[in-house]
Amino acid sequence: MSIDHNTVKKIATLAKIRLTPEEVQSYGQELQQILKWIEQLQEAKIPNGVLPDPSMKTELQRRSDQVTDGGNTDKVLLNAPEKAYDFFCVPKVVE
Amino acid sequence: MTESLVNLTLVQALDGLKKKSFSSVELTHAYLANMQQKRNLNAYISETPDKALAMAKQSDQRRVKDMVGLLEGVPVAIKDLFCTEGVKTTAASRILENFIPTYESTITQNIWKNGAVLLGKTNLDEFAMGSSNITSHFGPVISPWKHGSDRNKKLVPGGSSGGSAAAVSARLAVAATGTDTGGSIRQPAAFVGIVGLKPTYGLCSRWGIVAFASSLDQAGPMARTVGDTALMLQAMAGYDPQDSTSVNTQVPDYFAALKNYSLRGLKIGIPKEYVVPGMAPEIEKLWQQGMNWLKSAGAEIQEVQLPHTKYALPTYYIIAPAEASSNLARYDGVRYGLRIPAQTLDDMYELTRAAGFGREVKRRILIGTYVLSAGYYDAYYVKAQKLRALILQDFQEAYKKVDVILTPTAPTQAFGLGEKMSDPISMYLNDVFTVPVNLAGLPAISVPVGLSSDKLPLGLQLIGKPFGETTLLQVAHQLEKNASLKNDPDLGE
């Protein structure tokens, strides 16, 4: 499995992490090395009918669909990097 | 007086408090003084002395009224991955450097309900990703232990719960909480000569813990003795409707189960697949010693097969990063945490995450994004999930024949700061014995059983059946009695 610089850039875009050209280079090498190591899984024989992780089959418990709290605007906004009135602020999205 | 107070175990401290030999305020003062003295270890990210003394005072008042919890008046440390209301919670990341939770994790709520006192929040690998505590944004933790022949060499306390491990070992807390996704409680416990228990998946609530890999993460206790660990676990465990994977089961009296037990006829499994290249010969010897001790106590030793063991690490390094890449998507600079201002929303996301995450965290997010991306999902992620099922099946087969499995905790003793840095994989390999347990959702405990020729602690791991914590603690208790170590880094023994 080879991982070229375009692939690294594409993954970084998907992961929303900006990389410098030097980082594209160095992460490229490290990812290549890790993926090569992970590649040993391809030799593992998996019998027919094995389902992915059985623990995922058990149904998760659900709480009843009820409002249990609210009116915590101040708490919700306490750690906001930027806020105005009762809202989080972000850079303009729509022109 | 002060010095002797910090040398008390949790059980001894509770006894002293009960007999009114000292108050919780006095005990807390002793710990705060020791913390100040040993700041060079960098075990804590935040110390909370004012809160500690206020909580200790309240505890002393409860004691007068005879309203005592399981951990009444005992000062503990909390890994800085558990949200604590009004107390900064960083996950050792720049991206959460100034994050102050407005709610309290279920585990810490349980601990405070039982009367414990918060000394501070301990250092860890960033987002719990690491095995040496060197990826923390707040600098590495230094082990309180000294290498026998090179006393100036700085050693790692292991990771990711390295701050909690160092704090308990160096007497900077009576006990501490940790979290374990691939060995993050057990490996540091082994490196600093304390006990660490990773409970069955679902026994301890994950609510309010900063998530790394949700299907593997479990909180657990770290303490100086098996008895202390049992008490901590009892205070922490329990059903929580806020965690959809929490299991609704009765929490047994783990501590009482240590008073009277017999290992006669108990079957101990030894997996031959855990003899790995590069394992220190003295660790193999100690493993044999452990078998002999348990045999003398009446247990039967039996070989078991865990044939998919060799696939556990690469499987883990697909599943854990995949879950991490998804869990860590929430750190985008919008609602909390670091924000790097930018002209567009995408620029803001990308610059914030580039500046906020450290190198190991970014590496894992990138790997996780890759294995989940179109075209690779089946080859990596689905394959890993199937292998996870086979690894669990291995254990289920073994548990038809044996009750508990005995292995070393780590293939080496604690290594030096800056070692194993040349490539990420050599660091990953340190978790070879602990990772399969997380993949299978089983409970496991690391017990200190000896010292290496370099005078450094070594641990053995016991792996149990689901919800077999009582048996694990009993077998661990037996090993502890046989080993009879002081586990004091200051004494070097």
Side-chain angles (χ1 to χ4, degrees), chain B residues 178-196:
Chain B
T179 61
D180 192 315
T181 305
S184 282
I185 287 175
R186 292 160 285 156
Q187 183 254 22
F191 276 14
V192 302
I194 64 167
V195 182

PDB file of all heavy atoms in Angstrom, chain B residues 178-196:
ATOM      1  N   GLY B 178      -8.038   6.489  36.405  1.00  0.00           N
ATOM      2  CA  GLY B 178      -7.386   6.448  35.108  1.00  0.00           C
ATOM      3  C   GLY B 178      -8.409   6.062  34.071  1.00  0.00           C
ATOM      4  O   GLY B 178      -9.570   5.779  34.412  1.00  0.00           O
ATOM      5  N   THR B 179      -8.012   6.076  32.814  1.00  0.00           N
ATOM      6  CA  THR B 179      -8.850   5.479  31.777  1.00  0.00           C
ATOM      7  C   THR B 179      -7.956   4.581  30.945  1.00  0.00           C
ATOM      8  O   THR B 179      -6.746   4.788  30.883  1.00  0.00           O
ATOM      9  CB  THR B 179      -9.494   6.531  30.847  1.00  0.00           C
ATOM     10  OG1 THR B 179      -8.454   7.265  30.190  1.00  0.00           O
ATOM     11  CG2 THR B 179     -10.403   7.471  31.613  1.00  0.00           C
ATOM     12  N   ASP B 180      -8.567   3.554  30.360  1.00  0.00           N
ATOM     13  CA  ASP B 180      -7.800   2.511  29.691  1.00  0.00           C
ATOM     14  C   ASP B 180      -8.485   2.174  28.371  1.00  0.00           C
ATOM     15  O   ASP B 180      -9.577   1.617  28.361  1.00  0.00           O
ATOM     16  CB  ASP B 180      -7.744   1.286  30.620  1.00  0.00           C
ATOM     17  CG  ASP B 180      -6.740   0.233  30.174  1.00  0.00           C
ATOM     18  OD1 ASP B 180      -6.713  -0.066  28.964  1.00  0.00           O
ATOM     19  OD2 ASP B 180      -6.009  -0.302  31.032  1.00  0.00           O
ATOM     20  N   THR B 181      -7.838   2.543  27.260  1.00  0.00           N
ATOM     21  CA  THR B 181      -8.382   2.266  25.935  1.00  0.00           C
ATOM     22  C   THR B 181      -7.609   1.130  25.276  1.00  0.00           C
ATOM     23  O   THR B 181      -8.157   0.351  24.497  1.00  0.00           O
ATOM     24  CB  THR B 181      -8.321   3.548  25.058  1.00  0.00           C
ATOM     25  OG1 THR B 181      -8.998   4.588  25.756  1.00  0.00           O
ATOM     26  CG2 THR B 181      -8.962   3.342  23.700  1.00  0.00           C
ATOM     27  N   GLY B 182      -6.286   1.034  25.631  1.00  0.00           N
ATOM     28  CA  GLY B 182      -5.465  -0.056  25.094  1.00  0.00           C
ATOM     29  C   GLY B 182      -4.412  -0.501  26.085  1.00  0.00           C
ATOM     30  O   GLY B 182      -3.468  -1.203  25.737  1.00  0.00           O
ATOM     31  N   GLY B 183      -4.557  -0.048  27.350  1.00  0.00           N
ATOM     32  CA  GLY B 183      -3.573  -0.407  28.371  1.00  0.00           C
ATOM     33  C   GLY B 183      -3.201   0.784  29.246  1.00  0.00           C
ATOM     34  O   GLY B 183      -2.311   0.700  30.097  1.00  0.00           O
ATOM     35  N   SER B 184      -3.897   1.888  29.059  1.00  0.00           N
ATOM     36  CA  SER B 184      -3.522   3.170  29.686  1.00  0.00           C
ATOM     37  C   SER B 184      -3.638   3.224  31.201  1.00  0.00           C
ATOM     38  O   SER B 184      -3.171   4.189  31.812  1.00  0.00           O
ATOM     39  CB  SER B 184      -4.356   4.303  29.094  1.00  0.00           C
ATOM     40  OG  SER B 184      -3.859   4.666  27.832  1.00  0.00           O
ATOM     41  N   ILE B 185      -4.261   2.225  31.826  1.00  0.00           N
ATOM     42  CA  ILE B 185      -4.229   2.133  33.287  1.00  0.00           C
ATOM     43  C   ILE B 185      -3.159   1.113  33.682  1.00  0.00           C
ATOM     44  O   ILE B 185      -2.334   1.353  34.563  1.00  0.00           O
ATOM     45  CB  ILE B 185      -5.594   1.686  33.863  1.00  0.00           C
ATOM     46  CG1 ILE B 185      -6.610   2.823  33.765  1.00  0.00           C
ATOM     47  CG2 ILE B 185      -5.450   1.203  35.313  1.00  0.00           C
ATOM     48  CD1 ILE B 185      -8.017   2.445  34.205  1.00  0.00           C
ATOM     49  N   ARG B 186      -3.174  -0.034  33.009  1.00  0.00           N
ATOM     50  CA  ARG B 186      -2.351  -1.172  33.442  1.00  0.00           C
ATOM     51  C   ARG B 186      -0.865  -0.984  33.183  1.00  0.00           C
ATOM     52  O   ARG B 186      -0.034  -1.281  34.033  1.00  0.00           O
ATOM     53  CB  ARG B 186      -2.859  -2.447  32.752  1.00  0.00           C
ATOM     54  CG  ARG B 186      -4.244  -2.859  33.242  1.00  0.00           C
ATOM     55  CD  ARG B 186      -4.926  -3.777  32.246  1.00  0.00           C
ATOM     56  NE  ARG B 186      -5.400  -3.048  31.086  1.00  0.00           N
ATOM     57  CZ  ARG B 186      -5.619  -3.585  29.892  1.00  0.00           C
ATOM     58  NH1 ARG B 186      -5.356  -4.862  29.689  1.00  0.00           N
ATOM     59  NH2 ARG B 186      -6.062  -2.849  28.886  1.00  0.00           N
ATOM     60  N   GLN B 187      -0.499  -0.472  31.991  1.00  0.00           N
ATOM     61  CA  GLN B 187       0.925  -0.316  31.681  1.00  0.00           C
ATOM     62  C   GLN B 187       1.595   0.718  32.593  1.00  0.00           C
ATOM     63  O   GLN B 187       2.637   0.424  33.177  1.00  0.00           O
ATOM     64  CB  GLN B 187       1.087  -0.006  30.178  1.00  0.00           C
ATOM     65  CG  GLN B 187       2.516   0.115  29.693  1.00  0.00           C
ATOM     66  CD  GLN B 187       2.875   1.576  29.432  1.00  0.00           C
ATOM     67  OE1 GLN B 187       2.235   2.469  29.981  1.00  0.00           O
ATOM     68  NE2 GLN B 187       3.896   1.813  28.633  1.00  0.00           N
ATOM     69  N   PRO B 188       1.018   1.917  32.794  1.00  0.00           N
ATOM     70  CA  PRO B 188       1.655   2.836  33.754  1.00  0.00           C
ATOM     71  C   PRO B 188       1.667   2.289  35.188  1.00  0.00           C
ATOM     72  O   PRO B 188       2.629   2.514  35.923  1.00  0.00           O
ATOM     73  CB  PRO B 188       0.819   4.125  33.658  1.00  0.00           C
ATOM     74  CG  PRO B 188      -0.376   3.801  32.856  1.00  0.00           C
ATOM     75  CD  PRO B 188      -0.096   2.567  32.074  1.00  0.00           C
ATOM     76  N   ALA B 189       0.619   1.564  35.575  1.00  0.00           N
ATOM     77  CA  ALA B 189       0.612   0.959  36.916  1.00  0.00           C
ATOM     78  C   ALA B 189       1.825   0.036  37.058  1.00  0.00           C
ATOM     79  O   ALA B 189       2.528   0.059  38.063  1.00  0.00           O
ATOM     80  CB  ALA B 189      -0.690   0.201  37.157  1.00  0.00           C
ATOM     81  N   ALA B 190       2.080  -0.778  36.028  1.00  0.00           N
ATOM     82  CA  ALA B 190       3.216  -1.705  36.075  1.00  0.00           C
ATOM     83  C   ALA B 190       4.539  -0.937  36.129  1.00  0.00           C
ATOM     84  O   ALA B 190       5.454  -1.319  36.857  1.00  0.00           O
ATOM     85  CB  ALA B 190       3.190  -2.625  34.851  1.00  0.00           C
ATOM     86  N   PHE B 191       4.639   0.165  35.368  1.00  0.00           N
ATOM     87  CA  PHE B 191       5.896   0.921  35.289  1.00  0.00           C
ATOM     88  C   PHE B 191       6.261   1.596  36.616  1.00  0.00           C
ATOM     89  O   PHE B 191       7.427   1.869  36.864  1.00  0.00           O
ATOM     90  CB  PHE B 191       5.810   1.983  34.182  1.00  0.00           C
ATOM     91  CG  PHE B 191       6.128   1.461  32.798  1.00  0.00           C
ATOM     92  CD1 PHE B 191       6.173   0.099  32.538  1.00  0.00           C
ATOM     93  CD2 PHE B 191       6.415   2.334  31.753  1.00  0.00           C
ATOM     94  CE1 PHE B 191       6.473  -0.382  31.274  1.00  0.00           C
ATOM     95  CE2 PHE B 191       6.721   1.861  30.483  1.00  0.00           C
ATOM     96  CZ  PHE B 191       6.749   0.507  30.239  1.00  0.00           C
ATOM     97  N   VAL B 192       5.277   1.935  37.448  1.00  0.00           N
ATOM     98  CA  VAL B 192       5.592   2.634  38.698  1.00  0.00           C
ATOM     99  C   VAL B 192       5.284   1.803  39.945  1.00  0.00           C
ATOM    100  O   VAL B 192       5.317   2.316  41.065  1.00  0.00           O
ATOM    101  CB  VAL B 192       4.871   4.000  38.810  1.00  0.00           C
ATOM    102  CG1 VAL B 192       5.234   4.903  37.635  1.00  0.00           C
ATOM    103  CG2 VAL B 192       3.367   3.821  38.901  1.00  0.00           C
ATOM    104  N   GLY B 193       4.978   0.517  39.757  1.00  0.00           N
ATOM    105  CA  GLY B 193       4.813  -0.351  40.920  1.00  0.00           C
ATOM    106  C   GLY B 193       3.541  -0.143  41.721  1.00  0.00           C
ATOM    107  O   GLY B 193       3.546  -0.229  42.945  1.00  0.00           O
ATOM    108  N   ILE B 194       2.434   0.175  41.024  1.00  0.00           N
ATOM    109  CA  ILE B 194       1.155   0.254  41.732  1.00  0.00           C
ATOM    110  C   ILE B 194       0.158  -0.703  41.072  1.00  0.00           C
ATOM    111  O   ILE B 194       0.492  -1.384  40.101  1.00  0.00           O
ATOM    112  CB  ILE B 194       0.586   1.699  41.751  1.00  0.00           C
ATOM    113  CG1 ILE B 194       0.272   2.181  40.331  1.00  0.00           C
ATOM    114  CG2 ILE B 194       1.547   2.652  42.458  1.00  0.00           C
ATOM    115  CD1 ILE B 194      -0.572   3.451  40.294  1.00  0.00           C
ATOM    116  N   VAL B 195      -1.066  -0.747  41.628  1.00  0.00           N
ATOM    117  CA  VAL B 195      -2.106  -1.611  41.084  1.00  0.00           C
ATOM    118  C   VAL B 195      -3.013  -0.769  40.181  1.00  0.00           C
ATOM    119  O   VAL B 195      -3.342   0.370  40.511  1.00  0.00           O
ATOM    120  CB  VAL B 195      -2.946  -2.223  42.234  1.00  0.00           C
ATOM    121  CG1 VAL B 195      -4.017  -3.167  41.678  1.00  0.00           C
ATOM    122  CG2 VAL B 195      -2.045  -2.955  43.216  1.00  0.00           C
ATOM    123  N   GLY B 196      -3.385  -1.323  39.033  1.00  0.00           N
ATOM    124  CA  GLY B 196      -4.316  -0.623  38.138  1.00  0.00           C
ATOM    125  C   GLY B 196      -5.310  -1.608  37.574  1.00  0.00           C
ATOM    126  O   GLY B 196      -4.931  -2.700  37.148  1.00  0.00           O
TER     127      GLY B 196
END
